[in-house]
Amino acid sequence: KYSLNNNSNLKDKLIEFRKNRSNEMNIPAYYVFTNEELDKIVESNPKSIEDLSNILSPIKVKTHGKEIIDIIKREK
């Protein structure tokens, strides 16, 4: 289990990623992932694209999955 501090770091990094990605792609932030999905990602700490597929829709996983997993791995 990870400390709350790690989780809040991860959450901040994912929020930052979502903001940057939505700006780059010119889409609303919730198209990258919703706050509910964000909480599930932080809580379940997916280690692979397959794990992430249990949380995000296939199109979100295809578009953003690799980056999300990379962020999670860096925050460990």
Side-chain angles (χ1 to χ4, degrees), residues 9-73:
N9 268 352
L10 176 58
K11 191 168 187 171
D12 292 343
K13 290 282 190 304
L14 289 169
I15 289 169
E16 188 184 334
F17 165 76
R18 178 173 67 179
K19 189 179 74 177
N20 294 338
R21 181 54 72 99
S22 65
N23 287 340
E24 282 166 22
M25 296 180 77
N26 207 15
I27 56 173
Y30 63 85
Y31 278 24
V32 181
F33 45 79
T34 64
N35 286 339
E36 191 181 337
E37 289 166 336
L38 170 66
D39 290 340
K40 285 182 184 165
I41 292 168
V42 171
E43 202 176 285
S44 69
N45 197 29
K47 290 170 178 52
S48 67
I49 296 293
E50 291 73 35
D51 292 346
L52 196 58
S53 300
N54 297 325
I55 303 168
L56 300 179
S57 68
I59 187 72
K60 289 181 179 180
V61 171
K62 187 175 192 296
T63 311
H64 316 292
K66 186 188 179 316
E67 289 86 350
I68 293 170
I69 296 296
D70 288 347
I71 291 166
I72 293 167
K73 286 181 176 165

